[in-house]
Amino acid sequence: MNVAGGTFDVERIRARFPLLARQVHGKPLIYFDNANTAQKPAAVIEAVDRFYRNSNANVARAVHTLGDEATTAYEASRDALARFVNASSRDEIVLTSGTTQAINLVAYSHALPRLQPGDSILLTQMEHHANIVPWQLVCERSGATIKVAPINETGELIVERFIELLTPEVKLAAVAHVSNVLGTINPVATLARECRKRGIPLLVDGSQAAPHLDIDLRALGCDFYTLTGHKLFGPTGTGMLWARRELLEAMPPFFGGGEMIREVRFEGTTFADPPHRFEAGTPNIAGFAGLKVALDFLDELGQEPVFAHERDLLAHLADALARLPGIRIFGQAASKVPVVSFLLDGAHAHDVATLLDQEGIAVRSGHHCAHPLMQFYGVPATLRASLAFYNTHEEIDAFVAAIKRVRKLLG
Ligand code: PMP
């Protein structure tokens, strides 16, 4: 139990993340770059270590004990992911290196063979480059084009416009569940319903949603969903593509190689069924052993206390920043996760981030792999504070105090 006396025992949880105890420039680390990558609990680090010390072998090849242990660890991660997203079947879970690989897989294997000149892919103004560039690449090859659903100044998708744009030439829509820059939660169940009515498959980029929301794919109604293990307190190089079984079954392989075949002859090869058809080569076995433990850790914490603490953190941060004069906040959606982008009047984002680093505070500055969103707001870069359940009110207060000092320094 991590809920002490009805409150979230954040100090006990922090103690399970070794890196949070370190200092940066002689100051206690305040890690507010969780949307970039999250820190790992000791249990995850130990699971990776344990895999290499005790069970290291390749998957699905060897009959010896180590091979069996490695395969079991890898496949256990698939089961844990299937439970985490409430998939109907573990066979709908393709293990990938992350969201980028997952979206590329859908772009090349599902979309490209179907796209004709004159067709379109519908995106939104707030997409991460990982949910733009793969579509541009397959559009270039096929003669299809990209259409973009607009957002408002508040950083919310204009849902009516999205629906109007779902015209017959749209062959797929791809939308972030949560914006990595604004923290906006998009109404993906509504979008999925509208796409479904028109027979247009919907891909949801869940990279930023999975750490903050209950992901129930049976309720959501989309067709493809991706997530990122390293933002979910698991190792880098892990992630998932979920797709409806019939869609996966109709998809040809994207990468060819070992592990994804039924029989290979020089005259031609037959392929394994999904999900293995899409998992050519040796995967990040140790990483997936760690991701399984990260998902168990989240299970143990329980969603309700975690989400309640995050709502509380967001309210505290938004309130504290709103009181600062000379600050521009990007994204004030009614429904959002604890991610806040902002700029201080007259100060460059990188200068502010560099000075905050001197105080032990890690925030990201830059375009956040979302150039079109920066273009919408007419800025080259923002600062972004992105929180996780292990962050505290005290850290937010220290962060706001540091911003005041930084502003004085920058004049
Ligand atoms: N989409 C979004 C919304 C993201 O924030 C990120 C990571 N910054 C990605 C995709 C890319 O994810 P991955 O690191 O798993 O490739």
Side-chain angles (χ1 to χ4, degrees), residues 53-360:
R53 285 180 194 277
N54 293 315
S55 304
N56 181 48
N58 215 324
V59 287
R61 287 178 198 168
V63 294
H64 57 68
T65 299
L66 297 188
D68 186 48
E69 287 177 12
T71 306
T72 302
Y74 179 68
E75 292 297 332
S77 205
R78 194 188 313 278
D79 289 322
L81 282 165
R83 277 195 303 278
F84 183 75
V85 299
N86 194 25
S88 309
S89 159
R90 69 188 308 277
D91 292 338
E92 294 178 337
I93 306 289
V94 181
L95 301 181
T96 66
S97 64
T99 284
T100 303
Q101 191 193 346
I103 296 177
N104 276 276
L105 172 54
V106 178
Y108 283 92
S109 178
H110 169 84
L112 184 57
R114 289 173 168 77
L115 288 174
Q116 308 273 345
D119 288 346
S120 293
I121 303 282
L122 177 61
L123 308 177
T124 83
Q125 187 76 41
M126 67 172 90
E127 298 312 311
H128 185 281
H129 296 164
N131 201 25
I132 301 175
V133 181
W135 306 116
Q136 288 178 324
L137 293 174
V138 295
C139 281
E140 265 167 32
R141 288 204 192 184
S142 60
T145 55
I146 302 286
K147 294 208 298 187
V148 183
I151 62 171
N152 59 28
E153 270 295 311
T154 310
E156 289 169 324
L157 179 67
I158 305 173
V159 174
E160 315 81 75
R161 292 288 296 124
F162 180 91
I163 294 171
E164 280 165 24
L165 287 164
L166 289 173
T167 47
E169 76 277 11
V170 173
K171 292 297 176 292
L172 182 136
V175 174
H177 196 168
V178 166
S179 158
N180 66 312
V181 181
L182 309 170
T184 307
I185 303 171
N186 282 317
V188 286
T190 305
L191 307 183
R193 203 170 51 240
E194 296 300 327
C195 286
R196 187 144 279 255
K197 274 191 215 161
R198 294 160 179 81
I200 298 171
L202 175 67
L203 176 140
V204 177
D205 170 354
S207 187
Q208 295 291 344
H212 303 292
L213 303 177
D214 177 32
I215 311 296
D216 181 350
L217 293 181
R218 283 188 237 184
L220 221 48
C222 63
D223 300 281
F224 300 98
Y225 197 92
T226 70
L227 65 76
T228 298
H230 70 85
K231 298 188 203 277
L232 207 46
F233 314 98
T236 53
T238 62
M240 172 205 88
L241 168 69
W242 168 88
R244 291 184 188 286
R245 199 189 186 110
E246 60 275 18
L247 288 170
L248 279 184
E249 273 166 3
M251 280 161 58
F254 175 39
F255 291 110
E259 310 291 356
M260 49 74 76
I261 50 86
R262 184 164 292 141
E263 190 183 9
V264 177
R265 292 174 181 273
F266 283 116
E267 302 75 45
T269 291
T270 51
F271 301 111
D273 289 332
H276 299 287
R277 184 188 299 169
F278 306 107
E279 295 177 11
T282 301
N284 183 1
I285 311 166
F288 282 105
L291 182 59
K292 156 83 169 67
V293 172
L295 295 173
D296 289 348
F297 181 88
L298 291 174
D299 235 16
E300 184 202 330
L301 294 186
Q303 288 187 330
E304 265 327 301
V306 164
F307 296 166
H309 180 63
E310 289 191 355
R311 279 194 297 275
D312 184 48
L313 290 175
L314 174 60
H316 190 63
L317 176 62
D319 187 54
L321 290 179
R323 285 166 203 268
L324 290 177
I327 188 167
R328 179 175 176 198
I329 296 180
F330 300 84
Q332 311 257 25
S335 184
K336 61 177 278 174
V337 305
V339 170
V340 178
S341 275
F342 63 98
L343 281 175
L344 302 183
D345 289 351
H348 287 293
H350 291 310
D351 293 345
V352 177
T354 305
L355 289 169
L356 288 173
D357 179 60
Q358 292 302 312
E359 305 232 11

